[in-house]
Amino acid sequence: MTRLCAFLYRLSAGLLVGAQVFFAAVAAPAAFPREVAALPPGHPLRNAAADLVGTQLAALDRMTLLFCALAALSAIVLARTGLPSARVAAIPALLAGVCALFSSSFVTPRIHALRAAGETHLPEFGRLHAISTGLLGVEILLLLVALWVAPAPAKG
């Protein structure tokens, strides 16, 4: 059981790091290139790109919530079996999940509301976009820490 929990912890954190780096470095820039970003607000290509990135981010946030919960539960089970380092390992996974929850519950809905109202030119839109990007970066860092402190059962 301890080996399975340790595996699930590493798998969850590792999959999330990969998915988030892929989203930030490949998917979002490919869906919303500079040429599309330079188009005027309300342009159909710009709206389609924003919708695509928003849909991808929503799916990524849901996946982050699920896998962070799985990683934290795995660490808690390991801690209850007597592996003291597992208590510390639950913290970065839980914090990454809190970041995803904040993003999906507060930041992203406000961004969508501003987009729907045609207010993407407002400074608040830029701030929210920066917060969203920052939260994703913090999640990546927390998940890298989670992998660094990943609990490992004793061999034998």
Side-chain angles (χ1 to χ4, degrees), residues 4 9 11 14 44 51 55 63 82 86 90 93 96 100 119 135 149 152 155:
L4 176 63
Y9 181 93
L11 180 67
D51 288 341
T55 301
M63 190 170 85
E119 298 177 345
L135 284 169
V149 299
K155 296 187 182 201

Side-chain angles (χ1 to χ4, degrees), residues 32-59:
F32 210 112
R34 292 182 194 268
E35 298 82 26
V36 172
L39 294 171
H43 190 281
L45 286 176
R46 186 179 171 131
N47 288 342
D51 288 341
L52 178 59
V53 171
T55 301
Q56 291 173 344
L57 181 60

Side-chain angles (χ1 to χ4, degrees), residues 58-130:
L60 183 61
D61 282 339
R62 285 191 305 272
M63 190 170 85
T64 302
L65 290 169
L66 174 68
F67 283 124
C68 283
L70 180 60
L73 288 173
S74 296
I76 291 167
V77 168
L78 285 167
R80 293 194 53 116
T81 63
L83 191 62
S85 65
R87 290 178 197 262
V88 173
I91 295 169
L94 286 171
L95 291 175
V98 168
C99 288
L101 181 63
F102 183 74
S103 174
S104 64
S105 297
F106 299 106
V107 178
T108 302
R110 185 66 186 137
I111 288 173
H112 289 308
L114 288 172
R115 275 190 52 235
E119 298 177 345
T120 57
H121 62 283
L122 295 177
E124 181 183 6
F125 184 83
R127 280 192 300 272
L128 288 168
H129 190 271

